[in-house]
Amino acid sequence: MLEGISNSLQKALEKLRGKGRLSEEDVAVAMREVRLALLAADVNVKVVKQFVDKVRERAVGQDVARSLTPGQQVVKIVYEELTELMGGSEERLRMAAQPPTVIMLVGLQGTGKTTAISKLALTFRQHQHRPLLVAADVYRPAAIEQLKVLGRQIDIPVFDMGSNARPPDIATAAIAEAKRQGADIVLIDTAGRLHIDEDMMDELDKMKSAVNPDEILLVVDAMTGQDAVNVAQTFHGRLGVTGVILSKMDGDTRGGAALTVRAVTGCPIKFIGLGEKMEPLEAFHPDRIASRILGMGDVLSLIEKAQQTMDLDKAQEMEKKLRSSQFTLDDFRDQLQQVRNLGPLEQVLNMIPGMNKMKGLDKVNLDDSRFRRMEAIISSMTKEERATPSVMNASRRLRVAKGSGVTVRDVNQLLKQFEQMQTMMKRFAGFGKKSGKRGMMSMLKNMSGGDLGSVLDSGGGVPGGTASPGFPNPRGPRQHRKKKR
Amino acid sequence: MGIFDKFRKGLEKSRSAVLGRLAGVFKASRLDETVYEEMEEALLASDVGVETSLWMVERVRKLAREKKVTSPEDLPACLKQAMEEALESADPSMNMAQDGPTIVMVVGVNGAGKTTSIGKLAYHYRQQGKKVLLAAGDTFRAAAIEQLVSWGERAGVEVVRHQQGADPAAVIFDGIAAAKSRKYDIVLCDTAGRLHNKAHLMAELAKVSKVASQALPGAPHEVLLVVDGTTGQNALTQTQMFSQVAPLTGIIVTKLDGTAKGGVVLPIVREYGLPVKWVGLGEQLDDMEPFSAESFASALCDV
């Protein structure tokens, strides 16, 4: 996410970092590069101008001159201004005092409204709400069908009146239906439309006055270019948009739209959508995104994610097993699953500070499919085989290979890796505390190279567990203070 | 209404949006550095991108010198010429098979407008009296098959389909086989939207393309990348990444009936030499026009 802008911005600021004194010329050169980096990222021309002027003004001002590390100071200013540009702090949804809360999703064609609204429904259910999805896109062929299929997938009710009803009527009827069902959130999926299509905008207006929504969320494709401004302004002007969902942030977009929309309309970005898989939308934290853009990682989100997906009891049990070397293939599979639950590896790694600067990381193929294949192999074994892998003779290996759709070589490899892992674990009963970045690196290399021997060696395989030197320790700063005393 | 008029009318909004800025530039009383700076900004604001904007401004500057232009009023002609130069490598004609069916694969990121474009292309060729077959290769997204079937009904053409979740390559293979045996002229193959940085999805696309070429030597005759006209500089990355897995032959730019300027077309054509073949200008069956560099440039530059 946002690698492109991140790399170019960091390059622009890199030259300032080490400098003891900053001349106006230094700042001017850096700002020119920042400007180009932002423009190449599709940030609106006017917004870029304002942003650069603001940073320059602060950078040549008092604070920087007096600071011991002026370069760092400039990076800090860019970070603060970026955060400010994106809205400062996280914005939550407004809920109705009297349920149901009504939320309309609007936007251009193909921005991902239907996908986003299904994910939003999941987000609400995660927080113990009862959402009702409403299919009010009567224009696009099969749009209603799409929402119904998604609703079935995630087991959330979908209300529709076919494609002959008028959208404002559908919305009104949906609220009555929600009250009848006892649903407390009504999510209305509207048809994609051009912001300059008067009739279609009129229809949204009518729907708005018919149902009086608590939130009108504009879905914006994160890959949108300079036109994002026109779109957001027009929708906002006509309807009074209360928030923005940025979709397709899992692409390699530089996300200029993210930096622009909030700045020109004042509408806060409330969620980001990552991928087509049905999982809850992520809340948008401007400070964390700014931190990611500047390559400072996003440890907070990573920890939150780990807490959400990892099972603490399991992790503790795992640690015990590791220490007593009673680690079986079953446990190994559990671990693989837990790591996979965190989300695509690439996304996880980007949240770790400094990861993007590691050489060679771009060449490592971060493919989750290796994990999946390993899981399949283990799953094809019998209980006995998983508990005592030593029984795996040639014919058993052949059966497992056939069962999991791999070659015997793959099975051999996995077993060998597991064996190595066990030996390693016996050796490191105390469990490594100093492998750090290098350990993580070799873990990655191994993952792509096929040798999993050091996955657990580096601790990277058990992020939910206790000692995970590959991941920064959340209590780091506190320990640091202790040392000082 | 002729093709040219429609193209132009569709771009009306884009035109006025760019012109709003450029007109001011061209009205300046003196031809000095600020005029060029403003021009650069106007181009950037139309998604032309940093590199091509700089290239274009340089080009205009040179042309102005050669033609001894002294008043900003004469700049639009230079800008138009520069745009046409940037677009000149683009041949918008479609590559048709010598004999047997022509296989056209349509690829792109999610929500670019692939299925809609296929519906319009089907109608276009149907109007020309061709026998058209659609292959529902988007077996991933919910209700994508239904969406294509309903476009097929509108355009009056047959659709080859499997179940959701089926192997897209198999659908395309069946489509080509059916076209061969039942003597269709054109097969339009839909594919699932995919972000170009998802390695496994791109690998799947490479497979679909390979299977097509095995099913019929010389296929796919056209692999068209659908680019949302509102997309910014990411369209360049899309072009680059998609061309690595499938032999792209051209671009379809969609949604140009909005205020988006589609300026990203310029760097795509100039930097990758890939022609824009079609332009989508609305949601109706006949809202698709062949691209014309001349009308695109003049729509944006004529004051």
Side-chain angles (χ1 to χ4, degrees):
Chain A
M1 185 165 83
L2 301 175
E3 287 85 4
I5 187 172
S6 174
N7 290 342
S8 52
L9 262 187
Q10 283 174 48
K11 224 165 89 197
L13 294 171
E14 195 62 37
K15 291 169 199 150
L16 294 181
R17 267 182 215 261
K19 292 221 164 151
R21 283 187 64 179
L22 283 190
S23 66
E24 245 174 74
E25 177 62 24
D26 290 337
V27 175
V29 170
M31 285 309 119
R32 249 198 305 277
E33 279 173 45
V34 168
R35 173 174 178 263
L36 288 181
L38 293 176
L39 282 175
D42 294 323
V43 181
N44 178 260
V45 178
K46 281 184 203 137
V47 175
V48 172
K49 225 176 192 170
Q50 284 166 9
F51 179 84
V52 171
D53 286 347
K54 220 165 165 187
V55 174
R56 184 185 297 129
E57 195 181 304
R58 286 185 61 190
V60 294
Q62 289 277 318
D63 324 350
V64 177
R66 246 187 259 144
S67 153
L68 282 174
T69 49
Q72 292 289 2
Q73 200 67 23
V74 174
V75 175
K76 189 169 161 254
I77 292 171
V78 173
Y79 168 74
E80 283 168 7
E81 291 298 331
L82 267 181
T83 310
E84 197 45 46
L85 198 62
M86 292 187 286
S89 56
E90 182 199 353
E91 291 264 357
R92 289 173 184 271
L93 288 177
R94 190 165 51 200
M95 305 294 281
Q98 188 84 42
T101 300
V102 180
I103 300 176
M104 268 167 70
L105 256 68
V106 300
L108 296 181
Q109 292 94 338
T111 49
K113 283 177 296 301
T114 309
T115 307
I117 206 164
S118 311
K119 290 177 168 188
L120 192 56
L122 269 179
T123 314
F124 275 115
R125 195 177 53 195
Q126 204 180 31
H127 292 96
Q128 277 69 48
H129 286 289
R130 288 174 47 101
L132 173 69
L133 286 165
V134 182
D137 180 355
V138 296
Y139 303 103
R140 203 192 72 202
I144 296 176
E145 186 58 28
Q146 185 187 354
L147 191 66
K148 277 178 162 169
V149 172
L150 289 174
R152 259 201 306 278
Q153 251 176 45
I154 56 179
D155 194 24
I156 283 174
V158 176
F159 177 80
D160 83 281
M161 289 165 60
S163 55
N164 289 324
R166 287 176 53 242
D169 297 343
I170 300 176
T172 315
I175 292 182
E177 172 65 17
K179 283 180 183 152
R180 197 189 62 77
Q181 287 188 4
D184 59 351
I185 310 276
V186 180
L187 297 166
I188 307 173
D189 182 25
T190 65
R193 65 202 71 213
L194 281 173
H195 50 296
I196 48 169
D197 187 331
E198 275 307 312
D199 296 344
M200 290 293 278
M201 293 302 277
D202 223 38
E203 181 195 284
L204 283 182
D205 232 358
K206 286 203 182 99
M207 188 187 282
K208 184 187 171 187
S209 31
V211 299
N212 195 20
D214 302 279
E215 290 270 0
I216 300 179
L217 301 176
L218 176 68
V219 181
V220 177
D221 183 333
M223 293 181 284
T224 314
Q226 299 282 340
D227 200 42
V229 177
N230 293 326
V231 175
Q233 268 173 343
T234 319
F235 268 99
H236 187 49
R238 276 302 287 263
L239 298 167
V241 170
T242 59
V244 171
I245 298 178
L246 271 183
S247 63
K248 307 183 202 169
M249 282 288 274
D250 52 330
D252 59 356
T253 169
R254 300 187 174 189
L259 300 168
T260 302
V261 168
R262 154 78 213 208
V264 279
T265 61
C267 299
I269 299 164
K270 297 196 171 169
F271 294 101
I272 51 181
L274 299 163
E276 287 186 279
K277 215 170 115 197
M278 276 302 130
E279 46 190 33
L281 287 175
E282 271 194 43
F284 182 81
H285 301 275
D287 43 343
R288 298 185 191 177
I289 297 284
S291 168
R292 271 193 227 184
I293 289 178
L294 293 176
M296 305 192 290
D298 181 4
V299 183
L300 270 176
S301 292
L302 183 62
I303 294 170
E304 274 177 16
K305 221 170 180 175
Q307 280 169 345
Q308 269 170 25
T309 52
M310 300 273 167
D311 188 337
L312 249 186
D313 293 339
K314 246 189 186 165
Q316 271 162 6
E317 199 185 313
M318 186 76 70
E319 194 201 342
K320 232 183 255 163
K321 278 186 178 158
L322 283 173
R323 288 190 191 284
S324 57
S325 342
Q326 284 172 342
F327 188 71
T328 66
L329 277 166
D330 265 325
D331 304 323
F332 185 35
R333 186 177 51 177
D334 267 2
Q335 285 219 327
L336 288 175
Q337 273 161 359
Q338 292 225 358
V339 174
R340 279 219 297 142
N341 280 343
L342 271 178
L345 258 182
E346 228 180 307
Q347 274 175 35
V348 173
L349 288 177
N350 273 320
M351 292 192 224
I352 301 169
M355 270 320 245
N356 55 345
K357 282 216 198 77
M358 263 166 19
K359 280 190 191 123
L361 192 60
D362 45 336
K363 291 184 198 99
V364 178
N365 183 15
L366 296 170
D367 194 355
D368 294 359
S369 66
R370 194 173 289 277
F371 278 5
R372 249 179 295 148
R373 199 175 314 149
M374 287 168 39
E375 268 180 58
I377 296 175
I378 302 177
S379 300
S380 293
M381 298 179 184
T382 63
K383 253 188 183 165
E384 187 202 352
E385 287 163 353
R386 282 184 301 223
T388 43
S390 51
V391 301
M392 292 290 292
N393 57 23
S395 89
R396 283 181 193 252
R397 287 178 195 225
L398 185 65
R399 191 202 79 240
V400 169
K402 275 187 181 156
S404 52
V406 299
T407 62
V408 176
R409 227 186 100 226
D410 293 325
V411 178
N412 289 343
Q413 207 176 11
L414 178 106
L415 288 170
K416 201 167 153 214
Q417 282 163 9
F418 180 71
E419 202 181 303
Q420 282 173 352
M421 214 181 306
Q422 274 187 322
T423 340
M424 203 87 74
M425 246 173 273
K426 271 173 203 150
R427 214 183 304 156
F428 291 101
F431 214 67
K433 281 209 165 72
K434 52 180 187 295
S435 39
K437 258 196 198 174
R438 266 174 88 192
M440 180 64 108
M441 197 62 222
S442 67
M443 163 192 146
L444 287 170
K445 274 215 182 104
N446 289 332
M447 229 160 351
S448 58
D451 175 17
L452 252 162
S454 63
V455 167
L456 290 161
D457 168 38
S458 73
V462 271
T466 45
S468 335
F471 291 76
N473 189 335
R475 288 189 304 252
R478 210 179 297 155
Q479 285 174 342
H480 186 64
R481 267 203 302 272
K482 255 183 214 158
K483 251 185 230 162
K484 257 190 191 162
R485 275 178 215 153
Chain B
M1 190 162 47
I3 281 177
F4 182 81
D5 291 338
K6 181 150 190 194
F7 190 85
R8 204 181 157 98
K9 195 157 180 295
L11 284 171
E12 201 57 47
K13 287 286 182 318
S14 321
R15 179 179 143 80
S16 56
V18 177
L19 273 183
R21 295 193 67 129
L22 278 181
V25 176
F26 298 144
K27 279 205 191 85
S29 56
R30 267 179 347 111
L31 181 59
D32 55 13
E33 216 21 55
T34 45
V35 173
Y36 288 112
E37 262 169 41
E38 293 261 328
M39 189 190 288
E40 182 192 318
E41 208 150 281
L43 290 170
L44 285 171
S46 321
D47 289 322
V48 176
V50 175
E51 229 169 279
T52 299
S53 292
L54 291 177
W55 178 86
M56 212 117 82
V57 170
E58 271 324 299
R59 195 70 202 117
V60 171
R61 210 194 292 263
K62 200 161 165 239
L63 286 171
R65 228 180 292 133
E66 280 168 13
K67 292 183 181 170
K68 305 209 166 38
V69 170
T70 49
S71 151
E73 277 177 8
D74 299 326
L75 279 188
C78 300
L79 184 59
K80 188 183 160 197
Q81 193 182 336
M83 275 192 194
E84 279 177 21
E85 276 173 26
L87 295 169
E88 81 189 338
S89 63
D91 171 17
S93 62
M94 293 280 277
N95 171 29
M96 302 304 246
Q98 293 298 330
D99 56 358
T102 300
I103 313 302
V104 180
M105 247 172 84
V106 179
V107 302
V109 299
N110 316 63
K114 286 176 295 302
T115 310
T116 307
S117 297
I118 286 183
K120 294 180 192 170
L121 277 180
Y123 180 76
H124 174 88
Y125 284 115
R126 185 76 215 294
Q127 292 298 97
Q128 292 190 349
K130 297 268 199 296
K131 222 176 145 194
V132 183
L133 182 67
L134 306 185
D138 183 353
T139 54
F140 180 76
R141 205 198 70 207
I145 299 174
E146 285 80 356
Q147 190 183 347
L148 191 73
V149 167
S150 113
W151 273 110
E153 277 163 16
R154 282 195 202 177
V157 301
E158 298 280 315
V159 181
V160 171
R161 55 183 292 187
H162 286 190
Q163 295 293 313
Q164 195 187 342
D167 181 359
V171 183
I172 306 299
F173 187 91
D174 283 0
I176 295 175
K180 280 198 287 192
S181 64
R182 280 149 56 193
K183 303 263 180 288
Y184 278 91
D185 298 313
I186 296 179
V187 187
L188 300 170
C189 308
D190 196 11
T191 61
R194 64 200 76 220
L195 286 177
H196 45 287
N197 59 344
K198 302 277 158 75
H200 60 291
L201 293 179
M202 294 305 271
E204 179 192 274
L205 195 61
K207 180 185 165 192
V208 171
S209 162
K210 202 177 89 191
V211 166
S213 68
Q214 281 163 353
L216 181 73
H221 304 88
E222 286 278 353
V223 182
L224 300 176
L225 175 70
V226 180
V227 172
D228 183 333
T230 53
T231 309
Q233 299 310 300
N234 194 251
L236 291 179
T237 330
Q238 289 171 21
T239 310
Q240 193 188 357
M241 302 289 269
F242 272 99
S243 62
Q244 277 169 16
V245 292
L248 291 190
T249 57
I251 307 276
I252 301 178
V253 186
T254 59
K255 308 183 198 172
L256 277 192
D257 46 335
T259 48
K261 293 105 197 164
V264 77
V265 161
L266 288 162
I268 290 181
V269 176
R270 194 182 76 87
E271 288 167 35
Y272 293 95
L274 216 55
V276 177
K277 298 206 167 174
W278 299 93
V279 178
L281 297 163
E283 286 182 309
Q284 299 309 312
L285 271 175
D286 53 355
D287 288 336
M288 178 90 120
E289 296 293 330
F291 180 77
S292 142
E294 212 273 321
S295 21
F296 182 80
S298 58
L300 292 183
C301 301
D302 282 358
V303 180

